[in-house]
Amino acid sequence: MENSEALALSAALLAAAGDLTQRIHAGVLARGFEGLRPAHGFAFSRIAPDGATVTDLAAHLGVTKQAASQLVDELARKGYVERRPHPEDARARLVVLTGSGWACARAAEEAAAEAVRPWAELLGEQGARALRTALLTVAPGGPVRPTW
């Protein structure tokens, strides 16, 4: 691939990612979840499965432990997460989603589906599946980090 083609591909991927982030964020806000920023959604993606420590979250987001701790404090004040004793490490705390946090995560899933629906309409179902497969081949799992 020539440099100009690589640059065009990079620009298109970054534009799609930025647009997708904003559409999902707007969809979450439209569903009544206030006081959130896109960075919170990236934190939710790490916390949601089974919880995470602040250290895990910092590594996932590519920020310092202090910055991750401040983000967790903010989400806890808003009622989206809570800290619990870690089941395997008495020195650590596990950050988990609350009921409101899980509701917000479901709202983000719905917003994500809405955001990519036009892509499926444009590319067709087969084209959308091929795009997903290709992207999962080059970026198999993250971490999904905010672009700041």
Side-chain angles (χ1 to χ4, degrees):
M1 177 178 287
E2 292 187 27
N3 286 351
S4 59
E5 291 173 322
L7 182 60
L9 175 59
S10 298
L13 286 170
L14 289 170
D19 181 60
L20 185 59
T21 299
Q22 292 307 315
R23 285 176 181 234
I24 293 170
H25 181 64
V28 167
L29 295 179
R31 287 166 172 78
F33 295 91
E34 298 178 6
L36 294 172
R37 296 176 283 125
H40 295 130
F42 291 99
F44 276 44
S45 73
R46 176 61 186 90
I47 297 168
D50 298 309
T53 64
V54 168
T55 301
D56 296 334
L57 189 57
H60 176 78
L61 296 174
V63 300
T64 65
K65 289 181 207 175
Q66 181 182 14
S69 184
Q70 290 172 349
L71 186 77
V72 168
D73 288 345
E74 184 180 355
L75 288 172
R77 278 193 308 275
K78 294 172 190 243
Y80 294 111
V81 302
E82 63 185 15
R83 289 180 170 96
R84 294 185 180 163
H86 196 287
E88 299 167 8
D89 184 351
R91 298 168 296 158
R93 304 280 289 166
L94 193 64
V95 180
V96 297
L97 295 180
T98 62
S100 294
W102 282 109
C104 185
R106 286 189 296 276
E109 286 181 30
E110 293 169 4
E114 285 177 6
V116 299
R117 193 167 293 124
W119 299 1
E121 292 169 1
L122 181 66
L123 300 171
E125 288 298 321
Q126 186 174 356
R129 276 193 217 96
L131 176 61
R132 184 187 70 218
T133 299
L135 290 174
L136 287 171
T137 299
V138 287
V144 179
R145 290 188 172 138
T147 53
W148 44 43

